[in-house]
Amino acid sequence: MGDRVQTPSQTVGPFFHFGLEYDGSAQVVPGHYPGAIRLHGTVFDGGQAPVPDALLEIWQTDAAGLVSRERGSLLRNEFAFTGFGRAATNLGGEYAFTTVRPGTGFVTVAVFARGLSHHLFTRAYFDDGTGGGASDSLLASLPPSRRSTLLAMPDGDRSFRFDVRLQGDGETVFLEYS
Amino acid sequence: MATQQVITEEIRRIETDAAARVQGGQSPEVHPRRDYPPYRSSALRHPTQNLVKVDPEEVERYSPAFGHWDVSPLESDLTIAHRGEPLGERITVTGRVVDGDGRPVRGQLIELWQANSAGRYVHKRDQHPAPLDPNFTGVGRVITGEDGSYRFRTIKPGPYPWKNHTNAWRPAHVHFSLFGSQFTQRLVTQMYFPGDPLFALDPIYQSIVDPAARARLIGTYDHDTSVPDVSLGYRWDIVLTGPRSTWLEPEHADG
Ligand SMILES: [Fe+2]
């Protein structure tokens, strides 16, 4: 076991946009990429109000389930799939990514916000396994009411909705890596 | 809005309680509490259910890759982004990013953003009526070196008021965003400057309830990093331990 002690987290605060957003940060792939989908949703607080100053990051494999080691997550080009995206919520608490369905069946999501002292990890799954698709031990371990918070639901042509509820009714399952 | 006195009393109460738990044998808390009432906007923004423990999947044991061509070397110098010199005290902030075993985090992205010397952000939602500096934006990026090292040139940010309670002021700080070698090591935090009189009053800093943990966010004045006739130097090292599985030798790692 390591002997260095973790540096503590602090909130991303309200003024991160000019420091962390960059051109194309929410486009993991361009919209015309084969198999491109929209992954979008709203971030809600414990009062069911949208959170207008949250930041979401996604990290995922490509459609074949391979982890990208491609550099260039900041300087996007049309051809390199890097697997990383970053999107701030708008005044309505909404975010949107353009990406592909990962071969592993899930996208890892990190949620940052003003008022949140330490980011939260979750996963957006594209398949709950009940249709014979890929299942997952995490999903299987959760009661159905909580499991549903991890499902990205189709809501249109090549579009999936994944809302994040930080607290209260329908609170999203957040993860602690062991 | 609460007075500073009310907030300070809440801070002290929580710290006393946390210290008693450590006395009673609990390990000190490494990170801030997400549920920390003195930081008022945390009230509706922290989960109330327990986090669900999972083993990282393969993809989560990797991190996004950033290349030296993602970031221009000029982006680590926040004082040269404009034609003129920014106002304020020029500083160098340098250090190393390492994992829990002290191994360097190589070739990874660090992003930084901050207020100007008057305590004002370029951000359009910043309402603090302190002057903007036409020669300072306050955004920087760097890719860590082979030894995990980084170096930024900037100006010392000013403290600024905020609306948590009456007469609330943030200690001077620089926001940092870090990637480790695994996505589970992702960290966003703030670096502070030694001796700030606002530390005891600030509910964001104090949301880290263990005093030794809080102190890890304070840069150290380092005279060897100061540049004669130019700037003062601060050292700040960052540790990204990540989950238990990153501490194990490969032959013991489960998958
Ligand atoms: Fe700040």
Side-chain angles (χ1 to χ4, degrees):
Chain A
M1 184 171 134
D3 56 354
R4 308 287 179 114
V5 186
Q6 170 72 39
T7 301
S9 171
Q10 291 273 261
T11 180
V12 76
F15 303 136
F16 57 79
H17 302 80
F18 81 108
L20 292 179
E21 286 190 303
Y22 56 90
D23 283 349
S25 64
Q27 273 74 55
V28 182
V29 299
H32 56 74
Y33 197 86
I37 59 162
R38 179 169 73 139
L39 176 64
H40 72 121
T42 304
V43 180
F44 295 99
D45 71 13
Q48 312 306 320
V51 175
D53 40 20
L55 181 78
L56 270 70
E57 288 181 349
I58 58 172
W59 169 237
Q60 62 170 95
T61 67
D62 66 12
L66 298 175
V67 179
S68 171
R69 303 312 302 140
E70 194 82 61
R71 294 176 190 274
S73 290
L74 276 178
L75 274 187
R76 297 280 186 202
N77 80 47
E78 299 258 312
F79 306 102
F81 177 84
T82 68
F84 176 72
R86 179 184 278 169
T89 55
N90 63 19
L91 292 174
E94 300 164 318
Y95 73 90
F97 291 101
T98 310
T99 187
V100 294
R101 265 183 85 144
T104 53
F106 70 89
V107 165
T108 302
V109 182
V111 183
F112 304 84
R114 177 180 68 84
L116 181 60
S117 295
H118 186 189
H119 67 270
L120 291 162
F121 283 117
T122 184
R123 290 179 188 156
Y125 284 85
F126 291 87
D127 190 335
D128 67 1
T130 55
S135 189
D136 179 278
S137 58
L138 170 63
L139 288 184
S141 72
L142 296 168
S145 62
R146 298 225 70 207
R147 185 187 307 149
S148 63
T149 71
L150 297 185
L151 300 181
M153 301 303 287
D155 72 337
D157 181 31
R158 299 185 303 143
S159 178
F160 294 81
R161 168 169 282 277
F162 181 72
D163 291 338
V164 175
R165 294 177 188 278
L166 293 175
Q167 187 186 85
D169 279 350
E171 185 175 302
T172 300
V173 168
F174 296 107
L175 306 177
E176 179 176 3
Y177 292 102
S178 52
Chain B
M1 254 198 283
T3 61
Q4 179 69 58
Q5 191 189 341
V6 166
I7 296 291
T8 303
E9 279 166 13
E10 290 179 25
I11 288 172
R12 295 229 176 95
R13 226 173 11 248
I14 295 167
E15 179 167 358
T16 304
D17 174 67
R21 285 164 192 266
V22 172
Q23 286 269 307
Q26 281 189 21
S27 354
E29 297 168 49
V30 166
H31 280 295
R33 290 192 183 171
R34 294 187 180 95
D35 178 8
Y36 190 72
Y39 180 20
R40 295 296 194 239
S41 47
S42 75
L44 294 173
R45 294 184 171 195
H46 69 270
T48 52
Q49 305 259 6
N50 290 331
L51 303 188
V52 174
K53 286 199 167 65
V54 286
D55 289 325
E57 295 286 347
E58 186 201 9
V59 61
E60 293 164 339
R61 297 170 191 268
Y62 288 89
S63 207
F66 300 94
H68 287 280
W69 55 91
D70 277 306
V71 176
S72 154
L74 301 178
E75 292 186 65
S76 64
D77 190 341
L78 285 73
T79 68
I80 57 167
H82 301 273
R83 285 173 62 169
E85 290 265 340
L87 294 171
E89 177 188 333
R90 280 173 297 196
I91 58 171
T92 298
V93 180
T94 186
R96 288 179 74 220
V97 187
V98 298
D99 70 12
D101 292 319
R103 291 177 297 208
V105 174
R106 300 188 173 94
Q108 262 305 4
L109 176 68
I110 304 180
E111 296 157 287
L112 162 168
W113 69 103
Q114 63 169 86
N116 69 21
S117 60
R120 177 80 186 265
Y121 284 94
V122 167
H123 199 282
K124 61 181 186 291
R125 290 185 211 164
D126 187 357
Q127 301 294 310
H128 178 33
L132 285 167
D133 181 345
N135 291 315
F136 191 73
T137 304
V139 177
R141 294 191 188 109
V142 75
I143 301 287
T144 56
E146 279 300 299
D147 56 352
S149 66
Y150 72 90
R151 176 179 294 261
F152 287 102
R153 291 192 68 219
T154 184
I155 53 99
K156 190 174 177 188
Y160 60 83
W162 61 309
K163 304 261 184 262
N164 188 71
H165 55 278
T166 305
N167 207 11
W169 291 82
R170 294 296 332 280
H173 60 275
V174 177
H175 294 265
F176 271 74
S177 160
L178 299 125
F179 290 84
S181 54
Q182 310 196 19
F183 194 59
T184 54
Q185 294 172 307
R186 186 80 179 88
L187 182 71
V188 167
T189 188
Q190 302 177 24
M191 176 223 158
Y192 298 89
F193 295 88
D196 198 311
L198 295 168
F199 285 151
L201 309 177
D202 177 37
I204 290 183
Y205 181 67
Q206 297 289 334
S207 67
I208 308 161
V209 297
D210 177 52
R214 286 201 291 275
R216 294 184 189 112
L217 294 183
I218 305 174
T220 307
Y221 174 69
D222 180 31
H223 202 59
D224 289 338
T225 302
S226 295
V227 181
D229 303 324
V230 176
S231 61
L232 294 183
Y234 292 89
R235 277 202 70 84
W236 186 50
D237 294 329
I238 298 148
V239 181
L240 305 175
T241 56
R244 167 183 53 79
S245 50
T246 57
W247 300 343
L248 298 180
E249 294 304 316
E251 61 268 28
H252 299 130
D254 46 359

